[in-house]
């Protein structure tokens, strides 16, 4: 497999990260885009030097397309993933891969029957700070883990939801804050903690209840399989997008991610271990992980035994955690993660 041809479905804000990442990859060409807004799609196709399709199903019939990137609203992910896999294409999808565990079960069956490979974009896992945390925890030099705390406070205005009719509704977005903005934080927490055993959570809609039916704030307590405790708080009701604050307290020190810088705190003081940089022209909290995540996926297509790709099973973990928090908030009790596994 010397050269790969890519296509992108959906030309919203995030698609440009995919375009920029593809341009940096050797022997990869962007051949087509699919977009329901015809003037926008035609303009972008001319700009990118590729073909334009209004109907993504028609695009999937093209024999010169090897990889399909899905950058559409959440409710379209499952049918588009399944259609692309059925067409024998490799698929790289934005998160969430689906909106429920039942959806994941259907996608899994489609993936088993396809010659294509499925990857999911959880780009924060490949940030320098995340990779450093994972390496230190894997090495075990900090000793037993005691707790993980994460605080995410971002801002989403009424217009953010009114200008996109699919956002903030369970039928089309699958929720709001948890499944969109905070799912990356939940993914990091369960990854660093080795998986969540059970969760007790509460969701609320305090400031956006007139424009969305879903939550703008959430809090939860986790019990990880390794015995550690997790404390999580997130909200879209802040006045600005603050960087994630993440702390991992271990026997021999604390890892603190603050203002995109990872620090190690011990009895001898603190020292910087790694830092994340903002993408050129993009949102600072996106980081540059898209480039690395997409590069890893294409490397894995050429080297099937390569590690480091977020596949369907890995992507399911954070979605199950989102479902568990919703269910816990409704029932007002602890929820075992085994109860929401598809």
């Amino acid at each position: 497999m010397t050269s790969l041809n890519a296509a992108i479905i959906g030309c919203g804000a995030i698609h440009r990260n995919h375009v920029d990442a593809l341009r940096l990859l050797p022997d990869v060409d962007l051949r087509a885009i699919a977009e329901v807004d015809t003037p926008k799609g035609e303009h972008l196709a001319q700009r990118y030097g590729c073909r334009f399709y209004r109907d993504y199903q028609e695009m999937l019939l093209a024999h010169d397309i090897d990889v399909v990137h899905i950058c559409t609203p959440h409710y379209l992910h499952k049918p588009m993933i399944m259609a692309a896999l059925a067409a024998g294409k490799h698929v790289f999808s934005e998160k969430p891969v689906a909106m429920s565990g039942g959806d994941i079960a259907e996608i899994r069956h489609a993936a088993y029957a396809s010659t294509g490979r499925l990857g999911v974009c959880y780009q924060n896992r490949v940030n320098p700070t995340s990779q450093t945390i994972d390496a230190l925890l894997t090495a075990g030099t900090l000793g037993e883990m005691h707790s993980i705390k994460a605080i995410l406070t971002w801002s989403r205005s009424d217009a953010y939801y009114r200008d996109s009719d699919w956002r903030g509704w369970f039928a089309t977005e699958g929720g709001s804050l948890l499944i969109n903005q905070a799912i990356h934080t939940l993914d990091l927490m369960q990854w660093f903690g080795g998986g969540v055993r059970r969760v007790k959570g509460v969701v609320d809609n305090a400031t956006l209840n007139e424009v969305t039916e879903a939550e703008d704030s959430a809090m939860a307590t986790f019990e990880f399989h390794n015995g550690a405790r997790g404390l999580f708080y997130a909200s879209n009701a802040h006045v600005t997008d603050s960087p994630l604050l993440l702390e991992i307290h271990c026997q021999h020190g604390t890892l603190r991610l603050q203002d995109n810088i990872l620090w190690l705190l011990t009895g001898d003081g603190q020292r910087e271990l790694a830092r994340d940089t903002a993408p050129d022209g993009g949102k600072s909290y996106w980081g540059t992980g898209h480039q690395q995540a997409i590069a890893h996926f294409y490397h894995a297509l050429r080297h099937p035994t390569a590690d480091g790709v977020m596949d369907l099973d890995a992507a399911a973990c954070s979605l199950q955690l989102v479902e568990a928090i919703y269910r816990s908030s409704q029932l007002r009790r602890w929820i075992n993660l085994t109860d929401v596994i598809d």
Side-chain angles (χ1 to χ4, degrees):
M1 191 183 296
T2 57
S3 181
L4 290 166
N5 296 324
I8 296 174
I9 305 176
C11 294
I14 200 65
H15 95 281
R16 185 56 192 264
N17 291 55
H18 293 248
V19 172
D20 292 343
L22 291 171
R23 286 175 169 173
L24 294 175
L25 295 177
D27 299 320
V28 175
D29 294 312
L30 178 61
R31 293 284 186 178
I33 59 171
E35 167 60 45
V36 294
D37 184 336
T38 299
K40 178 181 181 179
E42 290 177 339
H43 169 74
L44 290 174
Q46 184 177 19
R47 177 179 175 184
Y48 300 149
C50 66
R51 300 193 302 272
F52 164 69
Y53 294 86
R54 192 178 191 281
D55 183 354
Y56 81 92
Q57 295 275 14
E58 180 184 355
M59 187 191 74
L60 293 178
L61 297 175
H63 295 295
D64 64 339
I65 301 298
D66 303 303
V67 188
V68 174
H69 292 239
I70 296 177
C71 303
T72 54
H74 295 181
Y75 70 99
L76 295 173
H77 289 186
K78 186 190 88 168
M80 289 180 171
I81 289 171
M82 295 183 67
L85 289 173
K89 311 298 186 185
H90 302 295
V91 182
F92 188 80
S93 176
E94 276 292 326
K95 57 73 189 170
V97 67
M99 297 198 302
S100 71
D103 287 344
I104 286 180
E106 291 185 54
I107 294 172
R108 182 173 288 114
H109 288 305
Y112 285 154
S114 175
T115 57
R117 183 167 184 174
L118 173 61
V120 186
C121 191
Y122 279 82
Q123 72 276 5
N124 288 2
R125 282 204 185 195
V126 295
N127 286 343
T129 55
S130 298
Q131 290 293 302
T132 301
I133 292 172
D134 178 55
L136 285 170
L137 296 178
T138 300
T141 54
L142 295 179
E144 181 181 353
M145 179 186 293
H146 298 313
S147 70
I148 303 179
K149 176 182 76 174
I151 299 174
L152 185 74
T153 51
W154 284 358
S155 175
R156 291 297 180 270
S157 66
D158 290 6
Y160 174 81
Y161 294 94
R162 289 197 174 105
D163 293 346
S164 299
D165 58 5
W166 64 276
R167 296 187 187 277
W169 307 100
F170 285 103
T172 49
E173 190 174 15
S176 184
L177 165 78
L178 284 175
I179 202 168
N180 195 334
Q181 291 80 31
I183 196 169
H184 288 290
T185 301
L186 294 172
D187 176 64
L188 291 180
M189 291 182 75
Q190 66 84 24
W191 181 41
F192 295 147
V196 175
R197 188 173 72 86
R198 65 175 188 156
V199 61
K200 192 172 191 299
V202 176
V203 301
D204 191 23
N205 190 346
T207 63
L208 297 171
N209 58 304
E210 294 184 2
V211 293
T212 171
E213 68 178 355
E215 77 289 347
D216 64 14
S217 301
M219 60 181 293
T221 303
F222 308 145
E223 286 186 6
F224 294 101
H225 287 300
N226 63 12
R229 178 177 297 169
L231 301 175
F232 164 80
Y233 174 78
S235 178
N236 275 341
H238 195 29
V239 296
T240 188
D241 294 323
S242 298
L244 170 67
L245 173 62
L246 178 76
E247 289 185 351
I248 304 176
H249 296 264
C250 298
Q251 183 179 2
H252 302 307
T254 296
L255 294 169
R256 177 182 293 160
L257 175 62
Q258 187 172 19
D259 295 326
N260 299 316
I261 302 174
L262 178 64
W263 301 89
L264 173 61
L265 286 67
T266 65
D268 298 326
Q270 67 179 36
R271 62 186 176 94
E272 181 181 329
L273 299 180
R275 63 174 60 203
D276 300 328
T277 57
D280 294 335
K283 298 178 181 179
S284 61
Y285 50 82
W286 278 350
T288 57
H290 271 87
Q291 296 175 9
Q292 295 299 318
I294 292 171
H296 287 174
F297 182 68
Y298 278 80
H299 177 76
L301 295 182
R302 294 187 169 96
H303 305 87
T305 59
D307 294 327
V309 174
M310 278 289 290
D311 60 11
L312 183 62
D313 291 333
C317 295
S318 56
L319 184 59
Q320 289 157 357
L321 190 49
V322 167
E323 285 194 274
I325 294 173
Y326 283 140
R327 188 177 301 181
S328 176
S329 184
Q330 291 170 345
L331 300 178
R332 297 182 178 274
R333 64 174 175 83
W334 285 91
I335 297 295
N336 293 322
L337 265 292
T338 53
D339 294 338
V340 295
I341 293 176
D342 58 274

